[in-house]
Amino acid sequence: MAMQPVPAAMSAIGIDAPGGPEVLQLQTIPVPAPMAGQVLVRVAFAGVNRPDVIQRLGFYPPPPGASPIPGLEVSGQIVATGAGVTGLVKGQMVCALVNGGGYAEYCLAEAGHCLPVPAGYAMDEAAALPETLFTVWHNVFERGWACEGETILVHGGTSGIGTMAILLGKLFGLNVIVTCGGSEKCAAAMTIGADHAIDYKASDFVEEVARITHGAGVNLVLDMVAGAYVARNLKCLADDGRHVTIAVQGGVRAEINMAEIMRRRLTMTGSTLRPRPNDFKEMLADEIHQNVWPLVTERKLRPVMDQAFPLAQAAAAHSRMEAGTHIGKIVLAVGR
């Protein structure tokens, strides 16, 4: 991107009222100014994620102080810096995890939540990294204590999170079993790198995990479903296994046998990323920069990409995500 003057106004996708994809409408709003510790990014691409859909439906409001514009990750060029920002300069290409505001021509990001885009790395791929990478790294390797040689079960194997879990899992020596809806998605997951893919529409994943592991079970479950899946997930775990919930697409309530938790020494945990304090996200970004970013720089980690939509077609991007036919990441092309 060549440096251009920052305009007073920009195009962004607003949500006038909760509802279907059609409520995503292009608006003209003022360009924000970076506060202390922030940078202003001229957005090249913005990632589309399930939390954006939930926000649009009215069930996931932005945290206090965050932009009401959807969008949790961007790639682009720094065009302005706030007071106290060090290590980042105007003109630098970055990708960033943001609390909101990504569906816009310009977006504010905390300087500590930015990662440098390596020279020649595709900007659409860079925009597809932060949300899934931060989520998977924290929940699989920090909260889930995944270790080389262990086996993980990942639901939603061809989603953005699922594909990142496959890629990171294999790069760090895990055996990866995924569930997918349909034989075509299972084949795609295997191509991406999964060791086993279970079609949950055609077979019982609990029985399949037992067969694949010869009755030993898995060490870790990364769960995006919750609800009735939780009790079934626990049946898949080996003794001393860990269960990490990161979404509740199947419902917020689950009934489990606590005596079984005690007898088999199982650990249950979970997290959400967006409401966490900025300091936590900065520490997480630092750890990712140290442990994962060399793999990005060497092109050993590249996200699985599905489709790019122009910013004005954000509604179509949400429709594709809700249809469940995508494989990998959906992004919005905002500028070049």
Side-chain angles (χ1 to χ4, degrees):
M1 290 184 181
M3 287 292 291
Q4 299 174 1
V6 178
M10 66 177 181
S11 295
I13 296 295
I15 304 173
D16 289 333
E22 70 280 357
V23 304
L24 298 174
Q25 296 292 327
L26 202 62
Q27 302 176 349
T28 300
I29 62 174
V31 173
M35 306 282 286
Q38 294 181 328
V39 298
L40 180 66
V41 177
R42 182 157 67 93
V43 178
F45 289 87
V48 177
N49 294 283
R50 183 67 59 175
D52 304 340
V53 173
I54 301 172
Q55 177 179 336
R56 191 204 74 222
L57 293 169
F59 301 119
Y60 194 36
S67 170
I69 301 298
L72 301 177
E73 59 186 347
V74 298
S75 68
Q77 184 182 48
I78 295 176
V79 294
T81 60
V85 172
T86 59
L88 296 174
V89 297
K90 288 197 293 185
Q92 186 172 356
M93 309 304 290
V94 296
C95 60
L97 183 75
V98 297
N99 286 332
Y103 291 15
E105 292 180 305
Y106 292 85
C107 180
L108 293 176
E110 298 295 325
H113 303 170
C114 295
L115 291 164
V117 177
Y121 201 90
M123 294 301 287
D124 60 338
E125 294 183 359
L129 284 171
E131 174 71 11
T132 56
L133 181 51
F134 278 58
T135 298
V136 172
W137 181 261
H138 177 57
N139 288 285
V140 171
F141 295 98
E142 293 183 341
R143 302 195 72 81
W145 311 318
C147 298
E148 184 177 359
E150 290 192 322
T151 300
I152 181 173
L153 171 64
V154 179
H155 292 300
T158 54
S159 66
I161 292 288
T163 54
M164 180 58 70
I166 294 172
L167 296 171
L168 269 187
K170 297 313 298 177
L171 285 169
F172 284 88
L174 303 182
N175 301 307
V176 182
I177 304 172
V178 301
T179 65
C180 305
S183 58
E184 291 185 3
K185 287 198 169 188
C186 285
M190 295 291 290
T191 300
I192 293 165
D195 296 286
H196 301 276
I198 302 167
D199 181 357
Y200 66 81
K201 294 182 178 179
S203 57
D204 184 335
F205 72 80
V206 178
E207 294 177 357
E208 284 297 292
V209 167
R211 181 187 65 80
I212 292 166
T213 64
H214 305 289
V218 300
N219 305 102
L220 175 64
V221 174
L222 184 64
D223 174 41
M224 297 174 246
V225 183
Y229 261 45
V230 175
R232 299 172 69 194
N233 291 338
L234 297 182
K235 293 179 180 179
C236 295
L237 283 175
D239 288 356
D240 296 297
R242 290 89 68 193
H243 183 283
V244 185
T245 297
I246 59 171
V248 290
Q249 296 178 27
V252 299
R253 297 185 181 277
E255 184 173 332
I256 59 175
N257 183 341
M258 292 306 298
E260 192 74 358
I261 301 292
M262 294 186 294
R263 185 181 70 82
R264 300 175 54 211
R265 303 173 304 281
L266 304 180
T267 299
M268 299 186 69
T269 185
S271 74
T272 56
L273 183 59
R274 191 180 191 185
R276 300 296 294 273
N278 286 337
D279 288 349
F280 165 79
K281 294 176 188 176
E282 184 170 350
M283 289 189 293
L284 185 53
D286 287 341
E287 184 167 334
I288 288 170
H289 190 261
Q290 294 176 27
N291 292 283
V292 184
W293 221 243
L295 300 172
V296 175
T297 301
E298 296 168 11
R299 308 302 196 270
K300 292 180 179 178
L301 178 60
R302 298 178 60 187
V304 177
M305 304 302 293
D306 181 75
Q307 188 172 343
F309 293 83
L311 177 64
Q313 296 179 20
H318 275 224
S319 293
R320 179 162 179 78
M321 173 163 282
E322 289 183 288
T325 56
H326 63 291
I327 294 175
K329 291 288 295 194
I330 299 169
V331 296
L332 299 176
V334 182
R336 297 291 195 276

